[in-house]
Amino acid sequence: MLRRVLDVLPALPGGGGEGVPHLILGPGDDAAAFAWPGGGTLLLTTDAAEEGVHFDRRLHPLRAIGRRAVAAAVSDIAAMGGRPVGTLISLVAPPAEETAAARIAEAAAERAAELGAPLVGGNITAGERIGLHVAVAGAGTPGAPLLRRRGAKPGDGLFVTGSLGGAALGLSLLRRRKEGETTPLDPEEEALVARQLDPAPRLDAGAALAGAAHAGMDLSDGLALDLHRLAVASGVGACVQAARVPLAGRGAQSLEAALFGGEDYELLIAGPRQTVRAAAREAEVPLTQVGRVTAAGEGIRLERADGVAEPLPRRGWDSWTAGRRNPKS
């Protein structure tokens, strides 16, 4: 659906008058970018959290709804190598849900302040179900190019920050609790639930890697789907080695969750191996090489532990279809 929308958008005007910010990056990346008069880059992004699509109030406490929505939007700024500076929210709620709406807004403001992007305004309106729409303004890292989805080159290493699959596994645990399971969670399971309820955008990592990487984006929809997006934008192929993917959990479902689960808000990075590793070490960023960038004709592949490579499906979390046939929550 996103591709159809992008295809019908009118051409954007270039340049601008003297002293006026002008657009340097439009639709297609994690954020839009404007060159600011006198130097600097303004980043703008927006995200939505809709009840029944992005969250389920039987699973997600009100505080988590607000905090998750802000973190997801701020992650787009991290994906560009920038820092957030301010947040706006648009809150939709049934009039009878005034108390719940206030608690969600309070949690959103709390998280925004923690991430260095205080809540500076917004809007509230009545609606049939709760929804929280978040817009974040950010600034590019001084002296470093923006991280973009376009720019990966054959021969680059493919890297991810942190570990993957934790949010999806945490969601599975929450669903099991809702269905009546009463066994106490162990510390590892508690950590997985926290990954689902209160994600942490990789702001330090994005800023540190912006000058070292050729391309990057955040992993909001699963490694498989987001890798396809980066590869298409860069006009390349890619190969992921299953044994190298850093898994947040253990068990048979961990790799599946890492590849297709989504909501991890880690970063996917492509760039020269030594340069990227050195930048990560200097900034103490947790980074793992999971594969390599290849020629476009080789497609997107997953190499199993036995060395056999197979096509990696273009599959993951898709908010457009989630509310109808594949609910996330």
Side-chain angles (χ1 to χ4, degrees), residues 230-282:
L230 185 143
V232 169
S234 293
V236 296
C239 181
V240 171
Q241 293 172 280
R244 288 192 173 192
V245 177
L247 304 178
R250 292 177 287 182
Q253 298 302 314
S254 294
L255 181 60
E256 179 85 2
L259 293 175
F260 308 116
E263 293 191 303
D264 285 314
Y265 301 111
E266 298 290 350
L267 298 183
L268 171 63
I269 299 294
R273 293 169 173 83
Q274 293 184 349
T275 305
V276 171
R277 288 195 186 108
R281 281 195 303 269
E282 183 176 352

Side-chain angles (χ1 to χ4, degrees), residues 79 145-161 205-206 209-219 223 226-227 229-240 267-277 279 287-294:
L146 294 176
L147 267 177
R148 297 190 56 184
R149 299 181 184 189
R150 185 173 67 186
K153 303 175 182 179
D156 281 349
L158 277 177
F159 304 84
V160 297
T161 59
L209 297 171
H214 287 152
M217 64 181 296
D218 75 334
L219 290 170
L223 176 58
D226 287 328
L227 177 57
R229 290 167 174 159
L230 185 143
V232 169
S234 293
V236 296
C239 181
V240 171
L267 298 183
L268 171 63
I269 299 294
R273 293 169 173 83
Q274 293 184 349
T275 305
V276 171
R277 288 195 186 108
L287 196 72
T288 302
Q289 184 175 345
V290 297
R292 61 191 183 277
V293 179
T294 63

Side-chain angles (χ1 to χ4, degrees), residues 50-318:
E50 296 287 338
E51 185 172 2
V53 177
H54 302 91
F55 64 87
D56 183 337
R57 291 174 63 186
R58 297 168 297 175
L59 306 177
H60 297 94
L62 297 174
R63 185 169 181 268
I65 294 168
R67 291 178 65 85
R68 291 171 79 247
V70 169
V74 169
S75 183
D76 287 339
I77 301 296
M80 304 294 292
R83 295 284 187 179
V85 297
T87 301
L88 294 151
I89 64 171
S90 180
L91 183 61
V92 182
E97 296 275 18
E98 183 176 327
T99 298
R103 290 178 62 188
I104 292 171
E106 179 183 29
E110 173 189 70
R111 191 65 174 125
E114 291 172 0
L115 294 171
L119 186 62
V120 295
N123 180 63
I124 185 167
T125 187
E128 294 184 1
R129 293 196 293 183
I130 287 178
L132 182 60
H133 300 218
V134 182
V136 179
T141 300
L146 294 176
L147 267 177
R148 297 190 56 184
R149 299 181 184 189
R150 185 173 67 186
K153 303 175 182 179
D156 281 349
L158 277 177
F159 304 84
V160 297
T161 59
S163 59
L164 305 184
L169 294 172
L171 181 59
S172 295
L173 288 168
L174 289 171
R175 284 174 171 156
R176 280 162 44 187
R177 307 296 286 183
K178 185 192 73 171
E179 292 166 0
E181 183 170 315
T182 58
T183 304
L185 299 178
D186 63 33
E188 183 177 301
E189 290 172 328
E190 292 280 7
L192 295 175
V193 169
R195 292 281 298 269
Q196 168 63 210
L197 297 181
D198 204 5
R202 288 290 189 176
L203 289 166
D204 290 342
L209 297 171
H214 287 152
M217 64 181 296
D218 75 334
L219 290 170
S220 57
D221 299 330
L223 176 58
L225 181 54
D226 287 328
L227 177 57
H228 273 269
R229 290 167 174 159
L230 185 143
V232 169
S234 293
V236 296
C239 181
V240 171
Q241 293 172 280
R244 288 192 173 192
V245 177
L247 304 178
R250 292 177 287 182
Q253 298 302 314
S254 294
L255 181 60
E256 179 85 2
L259 293 175
F260 308 116
E263 293 191 303
D264 285 314
Y265 301 111
E266 298 290 350
L267 298 183
L268 171 63
I269 299 294
R273 293 169 173 83
Q274 293 184 349
T275 305
V276 171
R277 288 195 186 108
R281 281 195 303 269
E282 183 176 352
E284 298 183 343
V285 168
L287 196 72
T288 302
Q289 184 175 345
V290 297
R292 61 191 183 277
V293 179
T294 63
E298 296 186 38
I300 312 299
R301 296 172 295 149
L302 178 69
E303 185 179 297
R304 297 289 183 178
D306 59 5
V308 175
E310 60 192 46
L312 181 61
R314 192 182 188 279
R315 177 164 65 85
W317 159 243
D318 182 352

